[in-house]
Amino acid sequence: MRDFFPPRRLLLGPGPSMVPPRVLQALSAPLLGHLDPAFLTVMNDIQQSLRPLFATTNPFTIAVSGTGSAGMEAAIVNIVEPGDAVIVGVNGVFGTRLATVVERCGGKAIKLDVPWGQVIPPDMIETALRRSSPVKAVVLVHAETSTGAWQPLEPVGAMCRNHQALLIVDAVTSLGGVPVDVDRWGIDVCYSATQKCLSCPPGLAPLTLSPQALSVIKSRRTPCQSWYLDMGLVADYWAEGSRAYHHTAPVSMLYALRESLGLIEQEGLPARFARHQLNSDALVAGLMELELTPLPSAEHRLPMLSCVTVPPHLDEGAVRQQLLQQFGIEIGGGLGPLKGKVWRIGLMGESCTEANVLTFLNALEEIFIRYGWLSTPGVALQAAARIYSRAM
């Protein structure tokens, strides 16, 4: 087999994000057994650091062994049983995927469909809860990675409580980039992933369960359809004090997550959220000078992932290819009905810097000039620089 040396890339797509050197170094630390007392302290540290990140006091706050999709599966397969009615907001790829998982569990997915790029209106959720009672859960994507839409959650938890329904939230792209307030918003199940705003390699899915969600899991009529993702069993492995073997944990990935969470604590969440918003504002200002307009409305626009529409005269695939091959910059294209129509540009965690914003805009301007799509060089960079100068 040939040696493999990954090319250097600036990761500005929808994930993964860049990883800090300290996190990469943590991956190379010597292995320990997954029940070694020294390793169990690593697990304890991760739980203690994840709780403030989720803004929760939930004892059950862990890192699922698997990518964000494993977190998604765990959230649904533990709660949904055959015949359960589940309201699912569908405004992009991941809402669609959640509805599919609900149906694979034998549940009845009540889909609230809105155009991609929009959010699910709270009154639509309230109406569905009234018409479809009893409802087991409401499932929403906080940050829809396929569209850049930022779903409001604050009013939904009270609605769910009033109708004895659980609230399940996908925070894969939002956790660590914008506030995720599990306890205050009344979220019962919330999951994320390590490779987005946490700037850790893909492979773990932070997950928190409220006492109400745990009670539902423990009172299931049927066994969870997944043994590996059965949180009733996994709970015994993550329980502080006495740990029962369930599976071989990804030890090196947990080292990396612990280091990543330490870096987040050092920066502080308010500063981290402000950094994502500032760099997003600068990026969007520059993109709009190039006639690349955001898909979501301003009030529902994610700071860590900008989804912009591409004018028909641009060969969007050719531009992305040149960005990658000539500049080593990765951005994402559109998915589903947005394929060929949008770009998805991520500023997540370690990728979210002023230098990266300006590097990307400069490369994009150079390509546009080469194709004759830009007659005034520097307009995007100047627009971004104005945003930064106001923040000084």
Side-chain angles (χ1 to χ4, degrees):
M1 183 181 295
R2 295 177 301 169
D3 291 338
F4 176 66
F5 301 98
R8 290 191 174 272
R9 303 290 194 218
L10 175 54
L11 300 177
L12 299 180
S17 62
M18 304 296 288
V19 176
R22 279 175 52 181
V23 176
L24 292 175
Q25 185 177 10
L27 285 167
S28 65
L31 285 178
L32 292 170
H34 55 278
L35 291 174
D36 187 302
F39 177 66
L40 299 183
T41 65
V42 171
M43 297 173 68
N44 292 342
D45 290 345
I46 288 171
Q47 289 184 287
Q48 291 167 12
S49 295
L50 281 176
R51 290 186 185 110
L53 192 58
F54 277 116
T56 186
T57 59
N58 290 339
F60 191 102
T61 302
I62 69 168
V64 174
S65 300
T67 62
S69 294
M72 175 187 291
E73 290 262 8
I76 302 301
V77 301
N78 282 276
I79 299 298
V80 180
E81 298 189 67
D84 286 342
V86 179
I87 294 171
V88 184
V90 179
N91 59 343
V93 165
F94 295 96
T96 303
R97 189 173 296 177
L98 280 159
T100 300
V101 178
V102 167
E103 291 167 347
R104 289 193 177 196
C105 292
K108 177 186 176 185
I110 302 168
K111 302 176 188 178
L112 304 184
D113 287 288
V114 300
W116 285 29
Q118 297 184 19
V119 298
I120 315 298
D123 58 351
M124 180 184 284
I125 299 169
E126 176 68 38
T127 299
L129 281 164
R130 288 176 180 166
R131 290 178 177 174
S132 307
S133 183
V135 171
K136 186 69 166 291
V138 173
V139 185
L140 295 171
V141 179
H142 189 209
E144 178 51 76
T145 316
S146 62
T147 68
W150 189 355
Q151 175 68 43
L153 295 174
E154 193 162 354
V156 182
M159 295 178 191
C160 291
R161 289 285 181 271
N162 291 339
H163 293 272
Q164 292 76 52
L166 298 177
L167 176 56
I168 301 174
V169 170
D170 177 321
V172 166
T173 296
S174 56
L175 189 69
V178 294
V180 176
D181 204 332
V182 166
D183 287 357
R184 190 166 66 86
W185 295 344
I187 300 171
D188 294 291
V189 182
C190 191
Y191 62 90
S192 188
T194 48
Q195 77 274 14
K196 307 274 188 173
C197 290
L198 304 190
S199 283
C200 187
L204 292 171
L207 170 73
T208 187
L209 302 176
S210 71
Q212 292 87 349
L214 278 174
S215 177
V216 167
I217 291 171
K218 291 177 181 177
S219 61
R220 287 178 61 100
R221 305 180 306 273
T222 59
C224 177
Q225 71 178 48
S226 170
W227 181 90
Y228 183 68
L229 297 175
D230 185 339
M231 293 298 109
L233 300 176
V234 173
D236 292 334
Y237 177 51
W238 280 87
E240 295 184 31
S242 94
R243 310 258 185 183
Y245 168 73
H246 178 262
H247 66 279
T248 302
V251 172
S252 297
M253 272 301 303
L254 289 163
Y255 291 165
L257 176 57
R258 181 183 180 278
E259 192 67 30
S260 172
L261 294 172
L263 291 171
I264 291 172
E265 289 175 358
Q266 287 179 22
E267 181 177 13
L269 288 178
R272 194 175 186 85
F273 299 154
R275 172 165 62 88
H276 281 83
Q277 189 62 64
L278 173 62
N279 288 311
S280 173
D281 290 345
L283 173 67
V284 170
L287 292 173
M288 292 183 74
E289 290 292 333
L290 301 177
E291 300 181 13
L292 301 167
T293 57
L295 180 66
S297 59
E299 66 270 26
H300 296 133
R301 190 181 300 158
L302 288 171
M304 73 289 291
L305 184 82
S306 295
C307 182
V308 294
T309 56
V310 181
H313 66 273
L314 298 186
D315 186 337
E316 69 87 19
V319 173
R320 284 191 293 113
Q321 186 177 30
Q322 287 194 36
L323 282 169
L324 188 67
Q325 293 180 351
Q326 296 179 22
F327 297 92
I329 300 174
E330 177 188 276
I331 65 171
L335 300 174
L338 296 180
K339 185 175 182 180
K341 299 178 181 178
V342 301
W343 287 332
R344 294 178 298 145
I345 304 152
L347 293 176
M348 296 182 281
E350 186 76 358
S351 296
C352 183
T353 68
E354 178 178 343
N356 288 346
V357 170
L358 299 178
T359 296
F360 169 65
L361 290 175
N362 182 70
L364 202 56
E365 281 200 355
E366 186 172 326
I367 293 171
F368 277 30
I369 292 169
R370 193 178 304 159
Y371 279 98
W373 298 332
L374 180 64
S375 57
T376 310
V379 290
L381 288 166
Q382 290 170 18
R386 285 193 290 271
I387 298 295
Y388 288 125
S389 65
R390 292 174 199 156
M392 294 179 64

